[in-house]
C-alpha cells in the first residue's frame, strides 16, 4: 500500500514545486504525515530527498531560459550549509508537537505576506519591475545579473542563513522563504525568482540530507524512491503550467494553500495540548 501511495503523494509535491518554485517540502511533510501516518521527524528525510532531486531537475529544465541567477543561488546554499546543522541540533531537542506548531506558524506568516505582496503588485508577472530603485538588490540593465554590492551580498547571505536553519529545524527546502524574500528584496519577477529558488532548494536540501545522515538519521529509501518518481513527473507538469499562469496568481494560490496546510497541522497539535 505504501508503494502505491508514495508516488501519488510525490506527484502532488512535484506539481506544487514546479508551479511555485517553493513549498515542495512544505506540502511533502504534511502529506507524508497524513498519507502514511508518519510523525514529522519520520517525514523529514523523505521530503528533503524528494525536494532535492525534483528541484535539481527543475533547475536543469529552467537553465536555458536564463532566468536562474546562479551566483545568488550558490551563495544562499553555501551559507545555508553552515546553519542547517544548527537547525538539526535544535530540532533534536524539541518535542515533535512543538516542531509541528512551529511549522504551522511559519506557514501562516509567509502565507499572509505573500497574499499582501500579490495584492499590492498586480502587474508582477513582468520579469523586470518598474520600481527597481526601491529594492536592496538590483540587476544590471545590460546583463540582467545582480549588482554585487556589500548590501546585496549581505541580503542574499541572510536569506540563505534563514533557509538553512529552517531546513534543519523543520525539514523544509527553504523555498517558501527564498521566493518571497527574493521578491521583497530584489527586482526579480516571479518566474525568475522561482527558477533561482529551485537551484537554491536543490543545493540546500542536498546539504541538509547529508548533514542529517552524518548525524545518524535513517534514510527510508524504499519509500523515498517511489515518492521521488512521482515528484519528478509532477515537476514536469508544474513547470509547463507555470508558463501560462501570471505571477500574482501563483503567489495567491500558493499562499492560500499554505494557510490551509497550516490549519491542518496546527489543529491536531493544539488539540493534544488541551
Amino acid at each position: 500500500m505504501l508503494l502505491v501511495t508514495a508516488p501519488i503523494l510525490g506527484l502532488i509535491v512535484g506539481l506544487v514545486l514546479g508551479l511555485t518554485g517553493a513549498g515542495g517540502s512544505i506540502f511533502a511533510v504534511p502529506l507524508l504525515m497524513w498519507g502514511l501516518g508518519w510523525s514529522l521527524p519520520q517525514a523529514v528525510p523523505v521530503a528533503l530527498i524528494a525536494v532535492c532531486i525534483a528541484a535539481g531537475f527543475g533547475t536543469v529544465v529552467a537553465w536555458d531560459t536564463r532566468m536562474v541567477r546562479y551566483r545568488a543561488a550558490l551563495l544562499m546554499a553555501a551559507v545555508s550549509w553552515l546553519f542547517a546543522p544548527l537547525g538539526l541540533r535544535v530540532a533534536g531537542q524539541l518535542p515533535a508537537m512543538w516542531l509541528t506548531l512551529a511549522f504551522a506558524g511559519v506557514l501562516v506568516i509567509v502565507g499572509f505576506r505573500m497574499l499582501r505582496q500579490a495584492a499590492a503588485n498586480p502587474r508582477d508577472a513582468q520579469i523586470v519591475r518598474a520600481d527597481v530603485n526601491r529594492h536592496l538588490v538590483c540587476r544590471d540593465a545590460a546583463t540582467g545579473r545582480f549588482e554585487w554590492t556589500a548590501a546585496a551580498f549581505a541580503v542574499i547571505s541572510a536569506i540563505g542563513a534563514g533557509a538553512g536553519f529552517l531546513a534543519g529545524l523543520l525539514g523544509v527546502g527553504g523555498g517558501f522563504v527564498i521566493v518571497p524574500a527574493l521578491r521583497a528584496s530584489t527586482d526579480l519577477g516571479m518566474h525568475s525568482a522561482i527558477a533561482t529558488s529551485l537551484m537554491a532548494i536543490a543545493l540546500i536540501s542536498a546539504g541538509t540530507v547529508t548533514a542529517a545522515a552524518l548525524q545518524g538519521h535513517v534514510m527510508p529509501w524504499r519509500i523515498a524512491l517511489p515518492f521521488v518518481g512521482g515528484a519528478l513527473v509532477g515537476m514536469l507538469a508544474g513547470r509547463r503550467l507555470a508558463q501560462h499562469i501570471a505571477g500574482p496568481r501563483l503567489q495567491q494560490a500558493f499562499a492560500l494553500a499554505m494557510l490551509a496546510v497550516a490549519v491542518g497541522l496546527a489543529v491536531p497539535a493544539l488539540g493534544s495540548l488541551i
Side-chain angles (χ1 to χ4, degrees), residues 129-230:
R129 286 185 262 171
D131 57 348
V132 293
N133 290 330
R134 295 192 305 170
H135 297 93
L136 294 172
V137 185
C138 298
R139 288 174 293 169
D140 182 272
T143 65
R145 296 175 179 175
F146 283 139
E147 296 176 348
W148 285 103
T149 63
F153 186 88
V155 167
I156 299 300
S157 296
I159 295 172
F165 180 76
L166 289 173
L169 180 67
L170 302 177
V172 296
F176 70 99
V177 172
I178 294 172
V179 170
L182 287 176
R183 298 284 288 143
S185 61
T186 77
D187 61 347
L188 289 181
M190 183 64 173
H191 295 300
S192 186
I194 287 174
T196 303
S197 172
L198 284 173
M199 180 176 178
I201 291 169
L203 295 172
I204 291 170
S205 299
T208 308
V209 167
T210 301
L214 292 174
Q215 292 187 15
H217 292 256
V218 177
M219 300 298 166
W221 293 105
R222 181 171 173 270
I223 302 300
L225 292 179
F227 190 81
V228 168

Side-chain angles (χ1 to χ4, degrees), residues 79-118:
V79 175
S80 78
W81 295 337
L82 300 177
F83 284 83
L86 176 61
L88 286 166
R89 284 196 292 272
V90 173
Q93 298 175 2
L94 293 176
M97 176 188 63
W98 290 109
L99 287 175
T100 302
L101 289 174
F103 198 115
V106 170
L107 292 182
V108 170
I109 293 170
V110 178
F112 277 116
R113 179 176 179 81
M114 291 191 76
L115 283 176
R116 287 198 302 270
Q117 285 182 335

